[in-house]
Amino acid sequence: MKRLSTRYFSFLLLVFFSLSGGKQYAFPDDRNVKELNVPAEDSYRRAVLPDKPFDQDRIKAVDKYFISKSVRGQFNGVVLFADRDEIFSKAYGYSNFRTKEKLSTSSVFQLASISKTITATAVLMLAQQGLVDIKAPVSDYLEGFGRPTLTVEMLLSHKSGLADYTRFTAGVWIGFMKPMSNEDMLSIMLKRKPRPYFSPGLKYQYSNTNYALLASIVEHVTGESFSSWVRRNIFEPVGMDNTFFCTEPEFSRCGTMTQGYTSRRAPYGLNFLDGVLGDKGVYSTAEDLLKFDMALRGGFILDDHWQQKAYTNYTDQVHPYGYGWRLYNYNDREIVYHNGWWHGYRGRFLRLPEEQKTIIVLENQARSSFSVPTLMNISEKLFDPYVSDTTVVESGAEDTEDETMP
């Protein structure tokens, strides 16, 4: 099938959502719509990025490593390392291989499954306000859903057992050029009743359906579109000015948008799955992700109680997962993180909340594979002034699971 250009498909997305009769945004009058009240004094607490550079000698070792990977065609993207008030951020390679437009630290990337950290935060913000009960059945929020033993918490921790919508909708949705919305996905799910992997709560199984449903729950509770609510309550207050969803006008207007590529530099186009949000669909920059991290660290959008819940393991020791965050213990240092992989974009968002350290890697060519130990080894060249060895040790496999989506 002929690939569609990103810009052309974004136009189709916007036309579809504007002509769908308000299908995604209009709710029956009898729904119990609630409003999240953000205190006036907290309406705008925009994160201010650190501006102190690391020691130049320490920067050289890290820079040399990424230059080498880029020259060999093994890395094309932006990296950001931050330690409290110190920061190193640099772009390597091209935003568009055909036009030879180079990447910059302001380049915008598809976050893919890193979007789940934002979705989980949105749900927990509503829980913090008492508007969502994470122990309650999903059917309390989504009419006709059934499955009375399946809770919101099980969606957050990937213990629902639900089949992945990227698989069960592929042979059902008619029209590659027509985006499928969250409501469309749920309608197919309720009609087709795809066989679950297992009974709710039995064990862990990564499924993108979970986070698409969480976005629908946000819509049900707030009475507005998921993208609009997240923009008003997360992106704008935090100052994530270069962050948006692919269904918003900003997507087609963005002047720093990158193109996603295969490992052989063939451009990816969008497809009908891009209309579903919650599991993916957020476009952002490395700097905006750092602002999100800083807002969490500062307790602005989530208090310590709910953050601790988010960073608790609810699954197993093989794939430890909290609420929207993967968990990793590296030499007795607690890391919360998420990876992403979609349409040629790959990303890694690592946070050490207790140490106020952050590592962000965003790519628009599916070539490299950085494990948590590898990124931590690289970061030590910057974060630890007593490390004299400049050799980067690449170790371990990247944990992607079903983040490798169509």
Side-chain angles (χ1 to χ4, degrees):
M1 182 174 289
K2 184 178 180 180
R3 296 186 185 278
L4 300 173
S5 72
T6 298
R7 294 299 172 86
Y8 178 64
F9 199 90
S10 68
F11 171 76
L12 291 174
L13 279 169
L14 293 172
V15 170
F16 171 68
F17 286 118
S18 64
L19 297 180
S20 59
K23 178 180 177 183
Q24 187 179 12
Y25 306 147
F27 298 90
D29 293 336
D30 60 349
R31 285 199 180 188
N32 185 19
V33 175
K34 302 177 182 179
E35 181 179 357
L36 175 67
N37 296 311
V38 178
E41 63 272 18
D42 287 343
S43 293
Y44 280 87
R45 291 179 56 182
R46 300 166 71 85
V48 178
L49 294 174
D51 58 4
K52 180 182 176 182
F54 287 97
D55 178 80
Q56 286 300 311
D57 288 335
R58 285 189 277 160
I59 288 176
K60 286 179 182 178
V62 174
D63 191 28
K64 181 180 179 181
Y65 171 77
F66 284 105
I67 288 175
S68 175
K69 298 281 282 188
S70 179
V71 169
R72 296 199 302 267
Q74 296 174 345
F75 177 71
N76 193 86
V78 172
V79 300
L80 185 152
F81 296 82
D83 182 0
R84 298 179 186 269
D85 62 343
E86 293 181 295
I87 187 171
F88 168 69
S89 183
K90 187 174 177 179
Y92 303 84
Y94 295 96
S95 171
N96 188 301
F97 284 110
R98 182 180 63 81
T99 64
K100 299 303 180 183
E101 179 183 354
K102 290 191 174 183
L103 289 167
S104 74
T105 55
S106 299
S107 292
V108 174
F109 297 78
Q110 156 77 268
L111 296 186
S113 286
I114 294 175
S115 303
K116 291 179 173 70
T117 65
I118 294 171
T119 303
T121 298
V123 172
L124 295 181
M125 287 172 70
L126 293 170
Q128 182 174 263
Q129 291 283 318
L131 305 181
V132 168
D133 180 0
I134 63 173
K135 300 290 185 180
V138 173
S139 57
D140 283 3
Y141 301 100
L142 301 180
E143 185 179 353
F145 184 78
R147 299 176 176 84
T149 61
L150 201 164
T151 66
V152 176
E153 182 179 39
M154 292 174 189
L155 298 180
L156 286 164
S157 58
H158 289 295
K159 295 181 71 175
S160 69
L162 294 174
D164 200 305
Y165 81 88
T166 63
R167 292 170 171 78
F168 69 71
T169 60
V172 179
W173 187 251
I174 300 175
F176 180 86
M177 295 174 63
K178 180 183 177 182
M180 178 174 62
S181 69
N182 287 58
E183 188 175 351
D184 293 325
M185 184 278 293
L186 179 57
S187 177
I188 292 173
M189 184 177 180
L190 298 182
K191 183 178 180 179
R192 296 281 177 162
K193 295 181 173 55
R195 184 175 182 177
Y197 297 133
F198 47 79
S199 299
L202 182 63
K203 59 182 179 179
Y204 168 86
Q205 174 67 56
Y206 192 93
S207 174
N208 293 292
T209 304
N210 296 325
Y211 276 73
L213 292 176
L214 287 171
S216 295
I217 289 174
V218 171
E219 292 185 335
H220 172 91
V221 172
T222 64
E224 63 181 294
S225 73
F226 178 67
S227 59
S228 174
W229 190 91
V230 170
R231 172 168 295 283
R232 287 196 311 104
N233 292 278
I234 299 179
F235 297 164
E236 290 180 355
V238 172
M240 298 169 69
D241 298 329
N242 297 303
T243 302
F244 44 82
F245 289 88
C246 62
T247 54
E248 295 183 296
E250 288 81 0
F251 179 80
S252 58
R253 294 199 299 255
C254 179
T256 54
M257 178 69 70
T258 56
Q259 168 67 54
Y261 291 93
T262 68
S263 60
R264 295 180 179 273
R265 297 188 180 181
Y268 270 100
L270 303 184
N271 63 32
F272 72 96
L273 296 171
D274 285 282
V276 179
L277 306 179
D279 60 314
K280 60 181 181 340
V282 177
Y283 283 74
S284 188
T285 66
E287 291 180 344
D288 270 12
L289 270 184
L290 178 58
K291 289 180 180 180
F292 178 54
D293 165 59
M294 294 171 68
L296 287 171
R297 267 192 273 142
F300 167 38
I301 49 181
L302 270 186
D303 63 27
D304 184 66
H305 169 76
W306 285 100
Q307 288 197 59
Q308 288 306 311
K309 281 183 171 292
Y311 310 149
T312 297
N313 182 18
Y314 299 99
T315 58
D316 53 48
Q317 297 306 311
V318 179
H319 298 296
Y321 203 95
Y323 295 156
W325 296 96
R326 296 185 181 279
L327 312 173
Y328 197 99
N329 184 288
Y330 178 81
N331 295 337
D332 294 326
R333 301 164 71 185
E334 298 301 325
I335 299 170
V336 297
Y337 74 105
H338 217 293
N339 299 322
W341 191 355
W342 179 246
H343 289 338
Y345 290 97
R346 299 191 75 164
R348 300 130 192 103
F349 182 25
L350 275 66
R351 304 173 55 231
L352 289 81
E354 297 298 321
E355 300 180 32
Q356 298 186 38
K357 294 178 172 66
T358 313
I359 303 169
I360 299 167
V361 180
L362 299 177
E363 301 175 71
N364 62 322
Q365 185 187 17
R367 283 296 299 270
S368 70
S369 179
F370 295 106
S371 67
V372 172
T374 295
L375 289 175
M376 288 300 296
N377 182 264
I378 296 170
S379 72
E380 287 170 354
K381 317 306 178 195
L382 287 170
F383 296 160
D384 190 343
Y386 301 104
V387 172
S388 58
D389 183 8
T390 60
T391 303
V392 172
V393 178
E394 297 182 351
S395 60
E398 183 184 16
D399 188 2
T400 57
E401 298 179 85
D402 285 344
E403 287 163 17
T404 308
M405 300 193 294

